[in-house]
Amino acid sequence: MTGKQANTVDAKPAQAIRCLEQGFVFRGRLIQRFIAALIAVSCSLLVACSDYNDARSVYSAGRHEEAFKKLYKLAKEGHLKAQYEVAMMFNNGIGVAKDKEEAWNWFIRAAKGGNVDAQVELGAHYEAGADGQPNGIMAAQWWKTAAKNGSGVAAFNLGTMYRAGRVTARDLVRAYAWFMVAEDLGVITAKDHLRNLRDLMPEQDVAKAERLRDGLLKDEAASTKG
């Protein structure tokens, strides 16, 4: 082997080492950036949580106008709980002039963002006809979304709606199925409704409802876009 060949052979491991070092440096920088971004997001969430708790404390102290200003700022920044609180304050005229249209807009925004309380509230508004006429389809749609997100109240509301035939056709099988879901989600009073319905329904309908219960939450979309 000539000296030139030896130098070429010796250079290859050195080049490989340099490539590995450069790769480690590059990956190290990426990891550092990721950690920095994660810390920044965590700090932002902690600040938002602290600000929200501060606003709630101000509200509990009866300083409603001050609480509204704090919550409104958080709501505009995308804080879902604050958006729901702002909607309720507009709806009830607490800390701000009552404005049903603004309340509705904030309920929609919070519900679409995934706030379960807002989803339940929208269902109630649609059932009551808050936007003009009662709308059972939209009420059921939002309550199903909330139930899939873990709201026993929403499942219970669906049970009572289908049992009474309010703004929708009366359907005891579906009512029974939703009361079972509500019971699964921790609504204690659902058990009494189930017992009462069993006295009204033939056994085959109860069995049908039990089969229906397993698919109710699986068949519905997790989010509502309308």
Side-chain angles (χ1 to χ4, degrees), residues 8 34 73 75 100 103 112 129 138 151 153-154 183-184 187 204 222:
T8 302
F34 174 76
K73 179 178 180 295
K100 293 292 186 179
K112 286 186 174 181
M138 289 302 295
S151 173
V153 171
E183 185 180 31
D184 291 342
V187 179
Q204 60 266 32

Side-chain angles (χ1 to χ4, degrees), residues 141-153:
Q141 191 172 346
W142 278 113
W143 279 339
K144 287 171 185 175
T145 299
K148 184 156 188 177
N149 288 330
S151 173
V153 171

Side-chain angles (χ1 to χ4, degrees), residues 1-18:
M1 181 182 296
T2 66
K4 185 177 181 180
Q5 290 174 325
N7 290 337
T8 302
V9 172
D10 291 340
K12 289 181 179 178
Q15 291 172 352
I17 291 172
R18 282 197 297 274

Side-chain angles (χ1 to χ4, degrees), residues 67-76 86 90 102 106:
F68 175 81
K69 291 177 182 178
K70 290 176 178 290
L71 288 167
Y72 190 73
K73 179 178 180 295
L74 288 170
K76 289 196 296 183
V86 164
F90 270 124
E102 272 295 295
W106 282 107

Side-chain angles (χ1 to χ4, degrees), residues 19-31:
C19 288
L20 285 172
E21 289 175 343
Q22 290 171 355
F24 286 136
V25 169
F26 178 71
R27 285 193 290 273
R29 287 174 180 168
L30 285 178
I31 292 171

